[in-house]
Amino acid sequence: AVLFMIARGDEPPDTIDAMLSVKDFPSKPQYNMADDAPLVLFECGFDNIALPWQHGLPTVRRTLCEHLTSMQDKYGIKAALLDAATKDYVDADGDMTKAAGDHFPTLQPLQTAAAMMQLNESKVRTGQSLGSSVTTVRPSSRKHVPIRLRPTEQSYEERVLDQEAYKARKTKIK
């Protein structure tokens, strides 16, 4: 989530380094975890190196294939529902139609999943960045609170003190 905040420009680039410093951040600031879908490493390789990959037992491969097929079905259905839900608001050029009117002031021009894939494929072929095709819509009522100003979790030391106090109270009761 913090990397996304940095990418959007909500946080300075040195935020990660600062968060790793116990002096700057004695305890973890509170923030929601980012969606894991765009953070998965799914394709990598090594130039001119042949490695003997071990794929495990056939049962492991079958279980993995079943899991991936299940995920493909789940996200395929979600993508189809999103396409169906947004088609009334987006015309063929990706612009808002008159149907949206002023009811959704925070909606940005949307593209169907298929149109975005075509756009991204053409960008890959021409060597352009994919980042410009992705639009983040943030509700206008929600304001960014800088990481440094957010409430924090208990530090390790505070947790140890709380645990010791809990144990002391528990022994007094007995």
Side-chain angles (χ1 to χ4, degrees):
V2 176
L3 292 176
F4 285 126
M5 289 181 223
I6 293 169
R8 280 194 311 252
D10 292 338
E11 292 291 334
D14 66 345
T15 300
I16 298 295
D17 290 333
M19 288 178 70
L20 293 173
S21 166
V22 179
K23 290 178 184 175
D24 292 339
F25 287 90
S27 56
K28 177 188 165 292
Q30 294 179 354
Y31 55 87
N32 293 329
M33 295 300 291
D35 182 18
D36 63 343
L39 300 176
V40 175
L41 174 63
F42 65 93
E43 186 176 328
C44 62
F46 301 94
D47 292 336
N48 302 321
I49 297 176
L51 298 174
W53 294 107
Q54 296 180 3
H55 298 286
L57 300 172
T59 55
V60 173
R61 288 192 299 254
R62 185 175 56 245
T63 302
L64 176 61
C65 287
E66 289 170 356
H67 175 70
L68 293 174
T69 301
S70 171
M71 286 179 62
Q72 186 177 26
D73 292 344
K74 175 183 170 183
Y75 291 110
I77 291 169
K78 287 184 177 186
L81 289 172
L82 181 60
D83 283 347
T86 58
K87 75 177 183 179
D88 291 337
Y89 299 106
V90 181
D91 64 19
D93 296 326
D95 293 327
M96 298 298 290
T97 63
K98 293 178 185 174
D102 293 328
H103 301 291
F104 302 100
T106 58
L107 271 178
Q108 301 295 316
L110 300 173
Q111 296 173 323
T112 64
M116 286 191 75
M117 287 174 62
Q118 285 177 341
L119 178 63
N120 287 343
E121 285 173 10
S122 70
K123 285 187 172 195
V124 167
R125 281 193 301 271
T126 59
Q128 295 176 350
S129 168
L130 299 179
S132 61
S133 67
V134 178
T135 302
T136 302
V137 179
R138 187 184 308 156
S140 59
S141 63
R142 209 167 161 204
K143 303 229 184 247
H144 174 74
V145 177
I147 289 287
R148 292 183 184 276
L149 301 179
R150 292 182 184 207
T152 59
E153 306 283 332
Q154 284 186 317
S155 69
Y156 174 76
E157 291 80 9
E158 291 169 331
R159 287 187 211 169
V160 169
L161 290 174
D162 282 354
Q163 188 67 26
E164 289 172 356
Y166 172 76
K167 285 180 183 177
R169 283 192 308 269
K170 195 172 180 181
T171 56
K172 280 186 181 180
I173 293 174
K174 290 183 179 181

